[in-house]
Amino acid sequence: MAVKVIVGSQWGDEGKGKITDILAEHMDLVVRYQGGNNAGHTVVVGDKTFKLHLIPSGVLYKECCCVIANGVVIDPEVFFGEIETLKKQGVYVTSDQLKVSSIAHVILPFHKLLDNRQESKRHEEKIGTTGRGIGPTYTDKVARSGVRIMDLMCRERLAKKIRKHQWELLLPDHELDIEGIIDQCHELGKKLAPFVIDTSLFINQAIDQNKNIILEGAQGTMLDVDHGTYPFVTSSNPVSGGACVGAGIGPHKIDEVLGVVKAYVSRVGEGPFPTELHCETGLRLREKGCEYGTTTGRPRRCGWLDMVALRYAIRVNGMTEICLTKLDVLDGLPSIKICVGYEIEGQLITEFPLDVDDFTSAKPIYEEHPGWTEDISSLTDFDALPENAKDYVRHIELVSGVRIGMVSVGSKRDQTIHLLQAH
Ligand code: GDP
Ligand code: IMO
Ligand code: MG
């Protein structure tokens, strides 16, 4: 019986979906606590690939209840679209299995328009957002002008909120039909009603009943609005602390924090990335790792593992365990580098710099590890790994000071090495 947070340790796309799905087999609840459909979590089962954006990655297990909690921003159209897509793939999701918070904020058509307009005006300062309206929706939430799920149920209240909002100030030339949007949102609200509950109450009752719960983070630590590479971040708190606020539970209810760590690093969108590889090896990681955005299809930037950033992520999340993913993507590389420090203005820095300008100018200092030639994607036993692969994993564990409990060597469920004992 445990409450476990799964967090992305880097810039997202670490494989949180795969790991959540594997663990969900023994879970009663899987809860999304922040972000929205900017997330793209892939779960591969047999020859089927599921791309989940809003619905928690526990959905493939009928016995596992999925919760979209208060900290998530919800695009109702996307919500129903995802249910339809799952249905086409043979997964039937009903309101018995899926719960939505009544106080989660709603992504409106204005937010999506604004997200894209703001991006196009940023020129060199572009963030490279997913264009899903995430930033503007969280902006409205904090400005206390947002629309919440419960508002969709009452046309009068919804109309008052939407009409009162001064969209014209932000989007002077918008051609959106405000009254049409009110009608459309109200209709979606009525359709949503059976799914809507007080999710904090529901989750806390499940905790009291000793249920097994995963709080599934979206994005990653380095995209956290507080702890990430601001301003090149998302607008919510993917870190483990965000799970308390975003799900409405107390910090002492969390037992474990599992950090999903890619064996190298990827980033999609703009922003500094000291270990990025602009060479053949970077392209090789992208192609072998299929590093193309699950949500936008954009090619992901790839580079070496950054231990300075990882130690920082371990600290700000209070990580208790690591799951190392995509180790197989490193197969065949003659040598593998790990960044152990930065040179910033002639100084050796080993703690993550909070000033984004320092991080932008950081030159990585590497240590080099020998690679392996074998294909490891079918191995399920740690001892069967090539010596150099074992050393790479052990080294990461040693330097990070956090136990590696799982190593993933492929996108499928069975391409996973479970490490229960010390190795
Ligand atoms: P998430 O956003 O953290 O859930 O990650 P994504 O689903 O966006 O991206 C991870 C990608 O890598 C997906 O295509 C997964 O199917 C795939 N994947 C996950 N784990 C592994 C692994 O260990 N090896 C390989 N080769 N692919 C993996
Ligand atoms: P998952 O959950 C990778 C990035 C965008 C952009 C920045 C801000 O699949 O790991 P936003 O639309 O959130 O305002 O964009 O954050 N980003 C992600 N990158 N994986 C994600 O989610 C991401 N969600 C947002 O590319 O740089
Ligand atoms: Mg993703």
Side-chain angles (χ1 to χ4, degrees):
M1 305 303 123
V3 179
K4 187 183 281 221
V5 188
I6 293 187
V7 288
S9 310
Q10 295 147 332
W11 278 283
D13 305 325
E14 299 89 351
K16 300 175 292 294
K18 168 181 166 163
I19 303 307
T20 303
D21 166 73
I22 289 183
L23 298 178
E25 188 181 358
H26 306 292
M27 291 294 141
D28 299 294
L29 246 58
V30 175
V31 181
R32 274 281 306 273
Y33 59 85
Q34 49 69 233
N37 60 308
N38 48 350
H41 295 183
T42 315
V43 179
V44 181
V45 184
D47 58 358
K48 282 190 182 160
T49 299
F50 301 89
K51 292 181 180 184
L52 301 161
H53 301 285
L54 200 49
I55 296 182
S57 305
V59 71
L60 302 182
Y61 295 97
K62 269 272 147 274
E63 307 304 311
C64 178
C65 184
C66 290
V67 180
I68 302 177
N70 60 278
V72 178
V73 286
I74 301 172
D75 185 330
E77 272 188 276
V78 170
F79 176 84
F80 289 112
E82 210 162 307
I83 290 178
E84 275 308 304
T85 307
L86 283 167
K87 198 196 269 180
K88 285 189 192 126
Q89 293 186 284
V91 179
Y92 298 86
V93 190
T94 67
S95 55
D96 288 338
Q97 196 195 354
L98 182 60
K99 310 288 176 195
V100 174
S101 166
S102 60
I103 57 168
H105 280 250
V106 179
I107 300 177
L108 298 167
F110 306 97
H111 295 129
K112 289 181 262 189
L113 189 62
L114 196 54
D115 191 0
N116 290 302
R117 290 271 175 93
Q118 284 171 338
E119 270 293 271
S120 61
K121 284 194 196 138
R122 281 190 189 113
H123 306 291
E124 270 95 77
E125 309 285 286
K126 260 194 186 16
I127 295 167
T129 73
T130 58
R132 302 301 192 259
I134 306 295
T137 307
Y138 278 115
T139 304
D140 263 343
K141 173 177 176 172
V142 178
R144 294 155 292 184
S145 49
V147 168
R148 302 197 290 182
I149 292 290
M150 59 163 68
D151 301 325
L152 301 179
M153 314 301 162
C154 169
R155 197 186 183 285
E156 215 175 305
R157 193 208 272 189
L158 175 67
K160 200 166 151 199
K161 283 208 165 190
I162 291 187
R163 287 191 199 123
K164 193 175 77 177
H165 199 300
Q166 293 173 305
W167 302 106
E168 286 69 22
L169 293 181
L170 299 165
L171 293 160
D173 57 345
H174 82 76
E175 287 175 1
L176 291 166
D177 165 16
I178 295 192
E179 294 308 309
I181 288 173
I182 295 169
D183 286 338
Q184 189 195 356
C185 287
H186 181 48
E187 284 309 311
L188 285 164
K190 285 194 278 184
K191 218 172 140 189
L192 255 173
F195 297 88
V196 179
I197 60 165
D198 175 345
T199 53
S200 164
L201 179 64
F202 185 71
I203 297 164
N204 278 282
Q205 282 170 341
I207 294 173
D208 291 343
Q209 291 160 14
N210 285 324
K211 299 262 168 96
N212 282 319
I213 301 172
I214 282 179
L215 299 153
E216 179 187 5
Q219 290 81 54
T221 306
M222 307 306 276
L223 288 170
D224 186 279
V225 68
D226 281 84
H227 301 287
T229 50
Y230 190 90
F232 303 99
V233 292
T234 191
S235 302
S236 66
N237 290 112
V239 295
S240 58
C244 295
V245 181
I249 61 169
H252 61 295
K253 305 278 174 170
I254 293 173
D255 302 298
E256 292 166 46
V257 179
L258 173 62
V260 185
V261 178
K262 205 181 274 197
Y264 52 96
V265 176
S266 71
R267 175 165 205 171
V268 61
E270 305 302 320
F273 177 7
T275 63
E276 181 172 9
L277 289 166
H278 300 278
C279 60
E280 269 305 306
T281 310
L283 291 177
R284 179 178 169 157
L285 292 174
R286 179 186 292 163
E287 293 314 315
K288 187 153 192 333
C290 303
E291 297 294 357
Y292 292 88
T294 310
T295 297
T296 58
R298 291 177 291 176
R300 295 174 184 154
R301 302 151 66 192
C302 295
W304 298 120
L305 183 66
D306 185 337
M307 278 311 295
V308 182
L310 178 56
R311 283 196 295 104
Y312 171 72
I314 288 168
R315 166 157 55 90
V316 299
N317 286 292
M319 237 175 254
T320 57
E321 188 184 330
I322 283 175
C323 170
L324 190 69
T325 58
K326 305 191 90 159
L327 188 65
D328 57 298
V329 177
L330 302 179
D331 288 357
L333 287 173
S335 74
I336 300 162
K337 290 184 183 172
I338 297 183
C339 170
V340 292
Y342 308 128
E343 190 200 310
I344 301 175
E345 290 180 8
Q347 300 240 321
L348 169 66
I349 305 290
T350 52
E351 289 302 334
F352 183 75
L354 295 183
D355 186 330
V356 77
D357 289 341
D358 288 340
F359 193 56
T360 305
S361 68
K363 292 191 188 70
I365 297 165
Y366 289 116
E367 58 180 30
E368 209 159 334
H369 294 257
W372 55 91
T373 49
E374 296 89 331
D375 173 353
I376 64 166
S377 63
S378 59
L379 303 179
T380 51
D381 178 8
F382 185 78
D383 291 332
L385 284 173
E387 261 333 292
N388 289 347
K390 277 194 260 189
D391 285 347
Y392 185 68
V393 176
R394 287 193 194 111
H395 186 78
I396 294 168
E397 188 171 56
L398 185 75
V399 178
S400 65
V402 178
R403 190 176 79 94
I404 297 183
M406 263 193 271
V407 177
S408 172
V409 293
S411 54
K412 295 188 175 163
R413 284 175 174 166
D414 58 3
Q415 291 178 299
T416 311
I417 299 173
H418 295 269
L419 296 153
L420 298 173
Q421 291 93 30
H423 41 277

